[in-house]
Amino acid sequence: MKNTSAASAKRLLESAQRLKALMNALPAGIAFSTDETCTYITGNPYLLEHLEMASGDNISLDANIADKKLRHFIGGKEVTGAELPMQRAIAERRQVGPLEIEVEAPSGNRWAHEAIGAPIYDENGKVISAVLVNMDLTEKRKASEAARLERFLEQQRKKIDFIADAAHELRTPLAIIKGNVDLAIRGGLTDKASIEETLRAIDHEVLHLDRLLADLTLLTADRGEFKSKVGAHLIDIGLLVEGIAKRHEGFALKKTVSMCIDTLPDVQVIGDERHLERLFSNIVSNAISYGKPGGSVWISGRIEGDKILIDIKDDGIGISKNALPHIFERFYRAESSRSKDTGGTGLGLAIVKWISEAHGGSVNATSTEGGGSTFTVTFPLAS
Ligand SMILES: Nc1ncnc2c1ncn2[C@@H]1O[C@H](COP(=O)(O)OP(=O)(O)OP(=O)(O)O)[C@@H](O)[C@H]1O
Ligand SMILES: [Mg+2]
């Protein structure tokens, strides 16, 4: 009997020593109250160091150690001891936190940490004290600040790229116009036919510039501003898509691509007719341009819940795995289509994405290189 109690006392001592070693080594703050009133609170070395306290100091807020004042702030507001997680855990008989707390140490230095308080019960379920765990927030805050800065720099880099790309695209038509005007000034246009040809070339480039500027204006407009400018009318979306597809039949014929147009669901969406036409026209013309001679373009629609999904599918050159995530970016053109001279600028799909999102919808593409592509546009139905 004596032996057994000596052995259990030894085990108890050993586990107390292990606990002490763990508390001393832990890179997190731990605090205990000696009773349920929290009038005496002690902490491990990590916590004491952050609070600028010495071993044995009572770190209870109400302890009032003459020159060692601690102040606690939650959400920037100074709080009393009763509002801290440990005291609340006892009063509310539950775990409290994690709460973000700033402690002002006696020197005025502030320590930001996250704290969790938990009650400690006796064998009868009565709360007898509490424990507190604190985790440093400085590193976490530094990391989120760095991530925020990185996001900001990324946005700035994108803006610079966009301006550079736009300037590059505008330069080409301007150079052609300048070349033709120079030719006219030098008296190089002697007959009526060459004058007419030059003016036609200039006119073509002016139109191109006009379209480009309209696209750039749309893509740089604030989305909220756009929403207030575009119409919000009830649109028979099926009829609109069928109309667009029919208008592309001539272009498809020229490319020897056949158009297969399903009867689309007879439903309505809320939106702007001109912009929706633009959206579908961009996707359908891509499907034909990047289609396969002798191939087909299929247009179909289906209803899923309170949405309409419209698929535009082709069996053309397809899009590589590497290019697919980028096709909706402004000025992006896949390698395969840059060599295929379609005269595009790479703004078409950026506009598609922009318009669909401004209408509360979305656009998605699936494709395999050499195996064709499917573009799916989703819109909420008008209720
Ligand atoms: N149906 C498709 N099949 C294969 N590639 C496609 C298809 N649609 C788009 N792409 C790829 O995505 C790129 C971006 O398309 P987007 O419509 O934005 O630009 P674009 O057609 O090159 O020029 P534009 O601004 O005149 O439309 C294309 O250059 C092409 O590489
Ligand atoms: Mg295009």
Side-chain angles (χ1 to χ4, degrees):
M1 185 69 187
K2 204 175 166 196
N3 271 352
T4 332
S5 63
S8 66
K10 189 167 172 265
R11 268 204 305 279
L12 200 64
L13 188 67
E14 276 171 8
S15 62
Q17 278 166 342
R18 270 202 296 275
L19 189 64
K20 193 171 173 202
L22 178 72
M23 292 214 351
N24 286 348
L26 214 59
I30 306 272
F32 286 104
S33 69
T34 49
D35 56 33
E36 80 284 6
T37 60
C38 287
T39 41
Y40 188 86
I41 301 176
T42 179
N44 69 341
Y46 179 93
L47 182 62
L48 294 174
E49 191 188 317
H50 279 87
L51 302 182
E52 299 171 7
M53 294 281 174
S55 168
D57 278 351
N58 180 3
I59 58 171
S60 164
L61 242 195
D62 310 314
N64 245 341
I65 304 177
D67 55 340
K68 289 189 176 180
K69 276 271 183 215
L70 291 174
R71 298 174 69 195
H72 289 62
F73 299 84
I74 296 180
K77 205 177 133 254
E78 186 161 8
V79 293
T80 62
E83 291 166 85
L84 294 173
M86 195 181 220
Q87 287 82 339
R88 278 187 52 198
I90 292 173
E92 297 169 27
R93 295 176 54 88
R94 63 179 184 95
Q95 184 179 308
V96 173
L99 293 182
E100 284 196 16
I101 300 179
E102 259 191 323
V103 179
E104 193 178 288
S107 69
N109 281 342
R110 286 204 176 191
W111 177 49
H113 64 271
E114 238 170 8
I116 299 174
I120 298 175
Y121 303 94
D122 68 6
E123 63 274 20
N124 301 318
K126 183 174 171 283
V127 176
I128 48 167
S129 63
V131 61
L132 184 79
V133 183
N134 313 69
M135 260 90 57
D136 189 73
L137 270 181
T138 326
E139 286 308 313
K140 197 172 153 187
R141 285 194 177 165
K142 266 193 213 153
S144 74
E145 180 61 19
R148 204 184 59 76
L149 195 64
E150 183 50 42
R151 275 199 303 278
F152 175 72
L153 288 175
E154 182 58 27
Q155 274 170 4
Q156 296 307 102
R157 278 196 286 270
K158 278 192 175 153
K159 274 187 194 159
I160 292 169
D161 285 352
F162 177 57
I163 293 166
D165 287 340
H168 177 82
E169 286 301 323
L170 293 172
R171 209 175 293 136
T172 314
L174 280 174
I176 299 173
I177 294 170
K178 177 90 171 76
N180 282 307
V181 171
D182 282 351
L183 187 68
I185 290 171
R186 273 189 273 111
L189 305 176
T190 45
D191 56 295
K192 197 167 170 257
S194 57
I195 293 173
E196 213 176 290
E197 193 188 328
T198 306
L199 287 178
R200 237 183 262 287
I202 292 175
D203 189 46
H204 180 81
E205 294 310 320
V206 168
L207 272 178
H208 181 49
L209 271 179
D210 191 48
R211 218 191 70 189
L212 206 57
L213 285 172
D215 287 352
L216 291 175
T217 311
L218 185 70
L219 285 172
T220 47
D222 177 63
R223 208 156 295 198
E225 185 189 317
F226 170 81
K227 269 197 171 159
S228 66
K229 273 189 193 157
V230 298
H233 307 288
L234 276 177
I235 310 280
D236 291 311
I237 191 77
L239 286 181
L240 182 137
V241 176
E242 282 165 27
I244 291 292
K246 292 220 167 78
R247 261 182 266 159
H248 279 78
E249 274 172 344
F251 178 42
L253 199 67
K254 227 163 85 185
K255 295 267 177 185
T256 65
V257 168
S258 35
M259 300 279 285
C260 312
I261 312 164
D262 260 17
T263 306
L264 287 131
D266 179 16
V267 290
Q268 293 181 312
V269 300
I270 293 173
D272 187 295
E273 186 166 354
R274 204 165 51 86
H275 285 101
L276 290 174
E277 282 185 353
R278 184 83 194 285
L279 181 160
F280 287 105
S281 171
N282 284 357
I283 302 182
V284 173
S285 70
N286 276 350
I288 300 168
S289 299
Y290 307 115
K292 167 172 86 174
S296 305
V297 169
W298 296 268
I299 298 172
S300 58
R302 62 209 142 95
I303 303 287
E304 271 180 23
D306 54 359
K307 294 191 171 76
I308 177 162
L309 283 77
I310 295 159
D311 293 315
I312 295 112
K313 179 176 175 326
D314 66 70
D315 54 1
I317 61 173
I319 304 162
S320 72
K321 233 193 196 147
N322 289 343
L324 196 59
H326 303 289
I327 56 170
F328 293 101
E329 289 168 14
R330 298 177 290 206
F331 297 109
Y332 183 83
R333 304 200 69 214
E335 204 59 53
S336 50
S337 26
R338 261 182 262 145
S339 52
K340 205 173 191 269
D341 191 20
T342 56
T345 52
L347 284 179
L349 287 180
I351 288 169
V352 163
K353 182 168 186 297
W354 209 94
I355 295 176
S356 59
E357 286 175 4
H359 280 79
S362 62
V363 56
N364 181 48
T366 54
S367 185
T368 46
E369 202 165 7
S373 314
T374 302
F375 284 79
T376 305
V377 185
T378 307
F379 284 122
L381 293 174
S383 45

